[in-house]
Amino acid sequence: MNASIGPNIYVSFFCASLVEFPSYFASVYLLRIQGRRKSTALFTAIGCVSLLICVLLSSGNLAGGSTQLSLSMLAKFGLGSTFANLYVYGGELTPTSVRNMTLGILSVGARAGGVVLPYVMMLVSLLATCCSCFCLHVCPSFHVGQSASDDTFPLVC
């Protein structure tokens, strides 16, 4: 499946970035109407549910590229709004004297998490491979070792 919006990487990035503007406007609108807690929970749920559906559809090849693209853009919308709401939370949790420093540290931490995430995903994939090798090769050898040492099953050479 082709995950890009168009053939040019710059046009694709521009089109994917257009989703951010309505998400920030929706975030400001719902912050005024429903408050911080409900709007953050709603936008996080929108992002997480759409990503979960996107992953479930891609694992079974049930949907085409346009369905996955629209679900991923909906997830980007929800999580972008959540990110904007969390800036409001971060500003209100800290005292005025250290607010700038705290928001800077939170922003650096979020960006560092975005940089590290692909490596964590590779590590999870590696651990899954190691666990499957362990279950397929090492665990049966324990069973064979136990049954071979048992008196009811003599060792045949």
Side-chain angles (χ1 to χ4, degrees):
M1 182 191 108
N2 189 4
S4 66
I5 298 173
N8 189 349
I9 189 171
Y10 301 110
V11 174
S12 298
F13 182 78
F14 177 73
C15 291
S17 298
L18 286 178
V19 175
E20 297 285 330
F21 293 109
S23 71
Y24 292 146
F25 289 126
S27 175
V28 169
Y29 180 71
L30 278 181
L31 275 173
R32 290 182 181 173
I33 291 177
Q34 290 192 351
R36 295 178 307 274
R37 188 179 305 158
K38 288 181 182 179
S39 64
T40 302
L42 175 71
F43 286 131
T44 304
I46 288 171
C48 292
V49 167
S50 60
L51 279 178
L52 182 65
I53 292 171
C54 186
V55 167
L56 291 175
L57 290 178
S58 68
S59 65
N61 292 328
L62 299 174
S66 62
T67 305
Q68 286 181 333
L69 182 64
S70 60
L71 283 171
S72 63
M73 289 299 126
L74 182 64
K76 187 173 173 110
F77 173 84
L79 296 178
S81 297
T82 302
F83 191 72
N85 286 351
L86 290 180
Y87 262 103
V88 174
Y89 268 128
E92 292 177 354
L93 289 176
T94 58
T96 306
S97 60
V98 293
R99 187 170 294 155
N100 290 337
M101 183 177 62
T102 305
L103 287 176
I105 290 171
L106 290 174
S107 179
V108 167
R111 300 301 176 195
V115 169
V116 171
L117 182 67
Y119 300 111
V120 171
M121 295 304 294
M122 288 188 330
L123 181 64
V124 167
S125 151
L126 178 68
L127 287 176
T129 304
C130 291
C131 288
S132 65
C133 289
F134 179 78
C135 291
L136 290 176
H137 298 294
V138 178
C139 290
S141 67
F142 289 142
H143 179 67
V144 169
Q146 289 174 352
S147 65
S149 65
D150 195 6
D151 290 335
T152 58
F153 297 106
L155 185 61
V156 178
C157 295

